[in-house]
C-alpha cells in the first residue's frame, strides 16, 4: 500500500519540534495549552502525558493501519487514543496525585486533543511503524516545548517562580493577570508573534539572498 | 491643433479642500491635554511629572520599535503615540511605580495599537488597553492613591514612584499620614463614597480639589479643554454629551428611586474618570462609531454601563471598562444604524 516509504531522518523528529510546531505554527490543541500553563510544572506534566499518548497511539495506529477499514478509522483512532489516555490517567493518579489534582479534567481531555488525532490521521495511518513513533515523539517534544515556554513565562511573571523555585526573593511584585486566564492568551499571543516574526524575517532574508541584486 | 496649456488645474474628484489633517488634529489634542497635565503636576508634584514623562516616552519608543519591526517608516510625526502616552499617564495614580507605568505604556501601544496595524486600525483605545492590563496585573498599586496638594510635593517624590523594577512598592499608609494636609486623605471621592459612605461636595470635584488619578480631578479644566477641541471641530461634541447624558440620566433614575442608597447625579458626573473618559477617550475617532444615530447609542451605552459598574460592581470606578465595552460594540452599532441611502428602498426581511 505504501508505495513510497520516506526515509526516517532527523527531520522526521525535528520538523515537529520547530518548523511545524503543533502549537506555535499549526495552532492545534489550544485548549490544554491555555488551560494548564499557569505554571511550568503543570505544562511539563501535560506535555509528558501527551507525548506518551502520542507515541503510543502513533505506534498502534501505524501497526494496525492496514487492518482498519477506512469508513470507521476515526472511531478506531479515538478508541486507541482513549486507551492510552486511560493508562496515563491511572498512572498519574497513582504516582503524582498533586499534579493529577492540578491538571484536573485536562488529563482525560487529552483524548480530544486534535494534535493526537491529527498525527494519527495525517501521519501514522500512512507511514511505517518506526517513522510514526519518531514523528509522534517529535510532535510530543514540540508540544512539551510550547507548554514549557508558555508556562515558564506565565509562572515567572505571575508568581516569580520557575518549577516552584523562588527566583527573585520576597520583594517580587507578581503580575496577577499572568496566572489568570487572560494571561494565557497574552503569553500565547506574544509567542505566536515572535514565531511568525522570526519566520517572516527568515523568508525575507532568503528572498534577499536569492535575488541577484548584489551580483559581483 | 496643439494642446493649449490650461491655466486651470484639472483633476479628478474629490475637489474638497481642507486644512485639517490627522497630524493637525492630533497636535491640537496634545495642546488640549497640556493644561490638564500641568494641573496634574501642580496638584501632585514631581511624581506626576515623572509619571507623565515616563509613560509618554515609553509610548513613543514602543511605537518606533514596532515601526522598525514591521519595516515601516516612522509614524511618530502623527503625534498619536504622544496622545496615548499623555492620556494613559493622566489615568494612573500619581504615585504609580514608574516601572509599572512603563509596562502600561508598552502594552497599550503594542497590544492596543501596533498589533492591529497602527493608527486607524485599533479596535480599542490604546491608552485604556494599557490601563486595563496594569489594573489586572497590579490591582493594589493602581488603587494606591495619594493626597493632592501634599506640602512637600515639589521637593520630594512619592516613595512608590522609584520602586525598583519587578519589586513590590512600599506601603504608602505611613507616608500619607505624615504628608496629609488637613481635610485631605489619600482616598478618591469614589472610594470614599463606595466604602465609607462619605460624599465629597460637587464644587470640590468640579474644580479639582480632590485625590484621584493624575489627570481626572478637575472636571472644569477637562470641559474647557474639550470645548476647545469641539469648537475647532476636532472632536465630535456629541460623544461626550451622550456619555455624560447617559451617566446623568442613569444616576438620576437611581437617585429618584432610592435616594439614600445612591449619590446625587452631579456627584456621579464630576467624580472619578468619567469626565476625562467622556471627553478624551470615548471620543477616540478610530474606536467610536461614525453614524449619527450610532454616536448617540454608543455614548449613552458607555454612560449607562459606567454607572452600573460603579453602583453594583466590585470596583469603585467603571469608566475604563465601560469605554472598552463601548469600543468593542461600536462596529455592531454602526452596522445596525446605517443611514438609508438616498433613493434606496428598505430591504425586505
Amino acid at each position: 500500500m505504501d508505495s513510497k516509504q520516506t526515509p526516517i531522518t532527523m527531520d522526521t523528529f525535528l520538523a515537529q519540534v520547530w518548523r511545524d510546531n503543533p502549537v506555535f505554527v499549526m495552532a492545534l490543541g489550544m485548549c490544554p495549552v491555555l488551560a494548564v500553563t499557569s505554571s511550568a510544572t503543570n505544562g511539563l506534566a501535560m506535555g509528558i502525558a501527551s507525548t506518551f499518548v502520542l507515541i503510543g497511539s502513533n505506534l498502534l495506529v501505524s501497526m494496525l493501519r492496514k487492518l482498519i477499514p477506512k469508513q470507521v478509522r476515526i472511531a478506531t483512532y479515538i478508541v486507541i487514543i482513549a486507551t492510552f489516555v486511560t493508562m496515563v490517567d491511572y498512572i498519574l493518579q497513582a504516582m503524582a496525585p498533586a499534579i493529577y489534582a492540578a491538571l484536573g479534567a485536562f488529563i482525560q481531555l487529552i483524548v480530544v486533543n486534535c494534535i493526537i488525532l491529527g498525527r494519527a490521521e495525517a501521519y501514522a495511518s500512512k507511514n511505517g511503524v518506526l517513522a510514526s513513533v519518531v514523528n509522534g515523539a517529535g510532535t510530543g517534544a514540540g508540544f512539551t516545548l510550547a507548554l514549557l515556554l508558555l508556562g515558564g513565562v506565565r509562572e515567572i511573571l505571575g508568581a516569580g517562580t520557575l518549577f516552584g523555585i523562588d527566583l527573585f526573593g520576597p520583594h517580587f511584585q507578581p503580575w496577577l493577570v499572568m496566572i489568570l486566564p487572560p494571561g494565557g492568551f497574552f503569553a500565547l499571543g506574544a509567542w505566536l508573534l515572535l514565531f511568525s516574526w522570526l519566520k517572516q524575517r527568515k523568508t525575507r532574508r532568503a528572498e534577499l539572498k536569492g535575488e541577484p541584486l548584489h551580483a559581483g | 491643433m496643439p494642446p493649449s496649456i490650461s491655466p486651470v488645474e484639472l483633476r479628478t474628484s474629490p475637489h474638497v479642500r481642507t486644512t485639517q489633517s490627522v497630524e493637525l488634529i492630533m497636535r491640537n489634542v496634545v495642546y488640549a491635554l497640556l493644561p490638564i497635565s500641568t494641573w496634574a503636576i501642580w496638584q501632585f508634584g514631581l511624581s506626576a511629572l515623572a509619571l507623565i514623562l515616563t509613560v509618554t516616552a515609553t509610548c513613543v519608543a514602543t511605537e518606533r520599535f514596532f515601526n522598525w519591526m514591521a519595516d515601516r517608516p516612522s509614524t511618530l510625526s502623527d503625534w498619536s503615540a504622544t496622545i496615548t502616552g499623555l492620556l494613559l499617564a493622566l489615568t494612573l495614580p500619581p504615585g504609580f511605580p514608574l516601572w509599572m507605568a512603563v509596562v502600561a505604556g508598552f502594552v497599550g501601544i503594542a497590544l492596543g495599537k501596533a498589533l492591529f496595524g497602527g493608527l486607524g486600525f485599533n479596535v480599542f483605545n490604546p491608552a485604556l488597553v494599557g490601563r486595563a492590563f496594569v489594573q489586572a496585573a497590579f490591582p493594589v498599586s493602581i488603587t494606591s492613591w495619594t493626597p493632592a496638594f501634599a506640602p512637600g510635593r515639589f521637593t520630594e517624590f512619592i516613595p512608590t514612584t522609584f520602586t525598583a523594577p519587578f519589586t513590590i512598592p512600599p506601603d504608602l499608609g505611613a507616608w500619607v499620614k505624615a504628608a496629609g494636609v488637613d481635610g485631605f486623605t489619600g482616598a478618591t471621592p469614589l472610594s470614599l463614597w463606595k466604602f465609607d459612605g462619605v460624599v465629597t461636595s460637587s464644587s470640590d470635584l468640579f474644580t479639582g480639589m480632590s485625590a484621584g488619578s493624575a489627570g481626572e480631578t478637575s472636571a472644569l479644566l477637562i470641559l474647557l479643554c474639550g470645548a476647545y477641541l469641539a469648537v475647532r471641530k476636532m472632536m465630535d461634541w456629541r460623544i461626550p454629551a451622550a456619555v455624560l447624558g447617559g451617566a446623568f440620566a442613569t444616576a438620576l433614575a437611581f437617585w429618584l428611586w432610592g435616594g439614600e442608597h445612591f449619590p446625587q447625579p452631579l456627584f456621579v458626573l464630576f467624580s472619578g474618570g468619567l469626565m476625562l473618559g467622556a471627553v478624551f477617550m470615548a471620543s477616540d475617532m478610530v474606536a467610536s462609531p461614525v453614524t449619527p444615530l450610532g454616536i448617540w447609542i454608543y455614548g449613552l451605552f458607555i454612560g449607562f454601563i459606567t454607572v452600573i459598574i460603579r453602583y453594583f460592581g466590585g470596583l469603585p470606578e467603571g469608566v475604563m471598562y465601560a469605554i472598552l465595552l463601548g469600543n468593542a460594540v461600536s462596529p455592531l452599532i454602526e452596522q445596525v444604524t446605517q443611514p438609508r441611502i438616498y433613493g434606496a428602498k428598505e430591504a425586505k426581511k
Side-chain angles (χ1 to χ4, degrees), chain A residues 113-195:
Chain A
N113 189 328
C114 43
I115 296 172
I116 296 165
L117 187 61
R119 281 295 99 193
E121 168 78 5
Y123 199 91
S125 62
K126 293 174 189 135
N127 287 283
V129 175
L130 193 59
S132 300
V133 169
V134 172
N135 188 275
T139 312
F143 188 57
T144 312
L145 175 79
L147 288 171
L148 264 181
L149 288 177
L150 252 138
V153 167
R154 288 180 68 187
E155 196 184 336
I156 290 173
L157 285 179
T161 59
L162 189 64
F163 294 110
I165 301 159
D166 205 336
L167 291 181
F168 303 106
H171 291 296
F172 180 76
Q173 161 80 52
W175 300 29
L176 195 61
V177 69
M178 294 310 286
I179 46 172
L180 299 175
F185 286 95
F186 288 139
L188 179 65
W191 280 115
L192 284 175
L193 181 78
L194 188 70
F195 264 70

Side-chain angles (χ1 to χ4, degrees), chain A residues 13 44-58 88 110 116 133 136-145 147:
Chain A
F13 181 84
L44 184 65
M46 185 70 189
I48 293 172
S50 302
T51 308
F52 173 76
V53 176
L54 261 166
I55 295 175
S57 69
N58 265 15
V88 168
I110 297 177
I116 296 165
V133 169
T139 312
F143 188 57
T144 312
L145 175 79
L147 288 171

